[in-house]
Amino acid sequence: MNRDFTDQELAKRKKLAELIEKDQNPFEIQKFIRNYNSQSFIKTFEGFSKEELHENQTKILIAGRIMAIRQTFGVIKDFYGKVQFYINKKTIEPQTWELFNNLIDLGDIVGIEGTPMKTNTGEVTVRVDKITLLSKSLKPLPEKYHGLNDDEVRSRQRYVDLLINEDSMQTFVTRSKISAVWRRFLDEKGFFEVETPVLQPIYGGAAAKPFTTHYNALDKEFFLRIAPEIPLKKLIVGGFEKVYEFSRNFRNEGVDTTHNPEFTGFELYWAYVDLNSIMDLTEEIFKTTCASLNKYQFKFRGFDIDLSKPFTKISMVDFIKQETGIDFNEIKTDEQAVAIAEEKHIKLTKHQMNKGHIINLFFERFCEEKCIQPTFVHTYPVEVSPLTKKNKLNPQFTDRFELFIGQKEFANAYSELNDPIDQLERLEKQISEVASGNNEAYANEVDMDFINALEYGLPPTGGLGIGFDRFCMLFTESDSIRDVLLFPQMKDSNN
């Protein structure tokens, strides 16, 4: 393969060749034992005076990437932060000075041996006795003052983004902390973390278009899961009472600032509780995360979001009435609902020519954009909730809620449908909707193994799903879902 190199890249490769010629090939080095990182080094010695450190002979072994060089000073960066080093030509071996002065570049990874000191300005610094080049950077780092600001390049070359942009590194540190908070919170409440299959012979658990693949060993088409809901409910049938899963899900749909076809979902199932218990738990998850990060106010999609107050709760029908004056409780037939939809210029497909779908479309058109602060919208039509228990007082609706923040859905939850007869009828209805043009129905065929599991008996159960990536967007104040995905899928760079 022929490659064109810039003058900087050629200069770096020339230095590497010289190192190899001197029998100092950095890529042959196996390890470098450290006794400090940048954080522990500064924390240990910042309380000493300059005079005290002048006499201190503690041996320092520290490593990192060179981010700056200024005459006889330099800065290395590791995962924990940055630390300055100082090299004195008069007190070190000529080989070390030659390496530092002529063969080391910005971006190189080095191991430093030395002792602690403080500069005249009081900065804790490593006084160098020896430098070991551990890896030669053959690419120049982006310019210090311009950084890496192109969002496309930042997502495509995340490794450079993390090196240069401290905010980006902090975003992913925060993401990791959030998942740890959730696990600790749920484990303390007696939930068990489980894993369920990514490859499924029948997709289901959400309204989405799947990715397909071929399972060679079985000679059969399989689907990458769109949700882990069905196997998790089978675990409740099997005797687990509280389970949760962080799952990689795949939905063969569009990409925008809050959607990515491959994403991290989170679902939990809790036996013997109703929707109200799940609603309380959902709010507690959000506020526990706030408490752990010591932050309750966020910027999200241009909105100022306040998570410190109680979340709003409103039924879908009441919300529509509030925004439009139309009370769907007074509308008795599908024909009446279709007529009102036509008056409001809402286009309907064949499978949407009924009251339930129209109520949902009215909410999406007139109400969803009003959900700025955290809002639980509950009591959804049965037509758009095929896995949800019907409301006992009004069987046209289900015991389901979605949580909206900043005009976006963050959570979806319901009292799980545990009547196998009703569930079979509703899944068959979904199959008929596929035939009517709904390519985002909940399943491509009836999952009879799921029905079989329900026939053994599923206790009253509450279930919850949260889009973990979107949650992290809110809590890191990120504008795009790509900003919270380490390696988002990108279009080919030549497209």
Side-chain angles (χ1 to χ4, degrees):
M1 178 186 294
N2 293 322
R3 300 176 63 192
D4 294 325
F5 296 112
T6 66
D7 290 343
Q8 283 181 293
E9 290 171 331
L10 290 171
K12 283 174 170 286
R13 288 168 184 268
K14 183 179 179 182
K15 290 180 181 181
L16 174 62
E18 187 174 341
L19 285 163
I20 293 172
E21 187 177 331
K22 294 175 179 288
D23 197 25
Q24 298 179 40
N25 186 350
F27 300 122
E28 292 181 349
I29 294 177
Q30 300 287 343
K31 65 179 181 178
F32 183 86
I33 297 174
R34 300 178 291 173
N35 59 4
Y36 289 92
N37 59 49
S38 59
Q39 186 180 71
S40 63
F41 171 72
I42 292 172
K43 185 177 180 180
T44 300
F45 297 104
E46 63 184 351
F48 290 83
S49 68
K50 178 181 178 182
E51 291 73 24
E52 288 171 329
L53 287 185
H54 183 72
E55 303 298 327
N56 193 308
Q57 294 300 306
T58 301
K59 186 175 183 179
I60 307 299
L61 296 167
I62 195 167
R65 187 182 298 272
I66 295 180
M67 303 303 291
I69 295 176
R70 186 180 69 257
Q71 297 178 337
T72 57
F73 286 90
V75 174
I76 60 170
K77 176 184 178 182
D78 61 15
F79 177 76
Y80 304 94
K82 296 178 181 178
V83 67
Q84 182 172 260
F85 66 88
Y86 166 72
I87 187 165
N88 187 338
K89 181 179 180 180
K90 297 177 181 179
T91 61
I92 61 170
E93 295 180 356
Q95 182 178 344
T96 297
W97 176 255
E98 168 70 11
L99 182 67
F100 172 76
N101 199 46
N102 295 321
L103 299 175
I104 282 179
D105 296 306
L106 295 182
D108 289 353
I109 298 172
V110 298
I112 293 176
E113 300 177 41
T115 54
M117 61 171 281
K118 268 191 174 179
T119 63
N120 291 332
T121 59
E123 185 171 355
V124 183
T125 302
V126 181
R127 182 190 291 109
V128 175
D129 293 329
K130 181 181 179 181
I131 294 180
T132 303
L133 183 58
L134 304 175
S135 182
K136 185 68 180 170
S137 170
L138 300 181
K139 292 278 189 181
L141 295 177
E143 294 180 40
K144 176 179 178 182
Y145 295 105
H146 293 91
L148 189 65
N149 297 317
D150 186 308
D151 289 339
E152 181 83 9
V153 177
R154 287 179 57 217
S155 296
R156 193 178 298 280
Q157 298 183 13
R158 182 68 76 199
Y159 40 90
V160 183
D161 177 40
L162 294 170
L163 283 176
I164 300 300
N165 296 318
E166 293 183 8
D167 288 346
S168 182
M169 174 65 81
Q170 190 55 47
T171 290
F172 293 103
V173 170
T174 300
R175 178 185 173 114
S176 181
K177 288 180 178 178
I178 291 171
S179 64
V181 168
W182 287 22
R183 286 184 165 96
R184 183 167 59 250
F185 170 78
L186 292 167
D187 291 348
E188 289 174 354
K189 288 186 174 292
F191 283 83
F192 289 90
E193 184 172 9
V194 297
E195 293 180 333
T196 60
V198 173
L199 291 174
Q200 300 177 341
I202 300 174
Y203 67 87
K209 186 177 181 180
F211 285 90
T212 61
T213 187
H214 188 76
Y215 203 134
N216 288 341
L218 300 178
D219 193 22
K220 183 178 179 180
E221 294 300 305
F222 267 63
F223 304 92
L224 276 66
R225 71 175 166 206
I226 58 176
E229 177 170 343
I230 302 303
L232 288 175
K233 285 199 278 196
K234 290 177 181 178
L235 293 180
I236 301 295
V237 171
F240 281 91
E241 295 185 0
K242 295 179 177 181
V243 296
Y244 71 91
E245 181 175 13
F246 287 89
S247 61
R248 296 299 288 175
N249 299 334
F250 305 84
R251 300 181 183 180
N252 201 353
E253 301 169 340
V255 178
D256 60 32
T257 56
T258 58
H259 292 87
N260 196 70
E262 178 183 358
F263 65 98
T264 300
F266 168 86
E267 292 197 19
L268 67 79
Y269 292 84
W270 184 2
Y272 306 110
V273 304
D274 64 3
L275 193 66
N276 292 322
S277 297
I278 298 297
M279 193 177 291
D280 292 341
L281 182 67
T282 303
E283 188 164 347
E284 193 176 357
I285 288 172
F286 275 74
K287 292 188 174 175
T288 297
T289 309
C290 288
S292 72
L293 300 178
N294 194 29
K295 186 173 183 178
Y296 289 83
Q297 280 75 38
F298 302 89
K299 283 280 190 183
F300 178 66
R301 302 182 67 248
F303 300 111
D304 293 313
I305 306 298
D306 186 355
L307 299 184
S308 66
K309 300 173 182 176
F311 292 4
T312 299
K313 301 174 183 177
I314 186 170
S315 74
M316 182 175 282
V317 168
D318 287 345
F319 206 156
I320 293 170
K321 183 179 179 180
Q322 173 183 294
E323 297 301 324
T324 68
I326 298 171
D327 186 354
F328 274 94
N329 286 324
E330 301 299 321
I331 297 171
K332 304 302 181 183
T333 68
D334 291 342
E335 290 75 18
Q336 289 175 304
V338 170
I340 290 176
E342 291 175 349
E343 288 177 13
K344 292 293 185 178
H345 307 291
I346 294 178
K347 294 182 179 180
L348 304 175
T349 61
K350 184 177 179 180
H351 74 276
Q352 293 172 331
M353 304 286 285
N354 57 69
K355 178 181 171 181
H357 275 290
I358 290 168
I359 289 173
N360 189 59
L361 290 170
F362 263 73
F363 167 75
E364 292 177 348
R365 171 74 67 84
F366 299 108
C367 304
E368 197 167 312
E369 66 180 15
K370 305 292 184 180
C371 299
I372 307 301
Q373 300 307 320
T375 304
F376 287 116
V377 180
H378 60 81
T379 316
Y380 275 55
V382 68
E383 288 85 351
V384 295
S385 310
L387 300 172
T388 313
K389 185 171 288 192
K390 291 179 181 177
N391 184 275
K392 190 173 182 179
L393 298 178
N394 188 345
Q396 292 184 353
F397 294 91
T398 62
D399 291 333
R400 173 187 176 188
F401 75 73
E402 289 185 304
L403 173 62
F404 290 86
I405 303 174
Q407 301 178 333
K408 292 295 180 179
E409 175 203 338
F410 273 74
N412 184 20
Y414 31 89
S415 292
E416 303 300 330
L417 177 56
N418 60 346
D419 178 347
I421 298 172
D422 187 8
Q423 183 65 88
L424 178 57
E425 291 175 353
R426 288 206 234 168
L427 290 177
E428 289 174 338
K429 173 68 174 174
Q430 287 290 297
I431 304 306
S432 69
E433 287 196 7
V434 173
S436 299
N438 183 4
N439 63 359
E440 292 188 353
Y442 272 66
N444 60 315
E445 62 180 278
V446 174
D447 186 345
M448 288 308 300
D449 187 62
F450 176 48
I451 300 300
N452 189 58
L454 292 181
E455 289 175 344
Y456 277 94
L458 173 70
T461 299
L464 167 67
I466 297 176
F468 187 70
D469 299 322
R470 193 172 295 176
F471 187 99
C472 291
M473 284 181 63
L474 171 64
F475 275 75
T476 60
E477 299 185 327
S478 300
D479 294 329
S480 170
I481 195 171
R482 292 198 312 196
D483 295 336
V484 298
L485 302 177
L486 279 169
F487 299 104
Q489 188 64 46
M490 308 288 292
K491 292 181 179 179
D492 291 342
S493 57
N494 57 356
N495 284 353

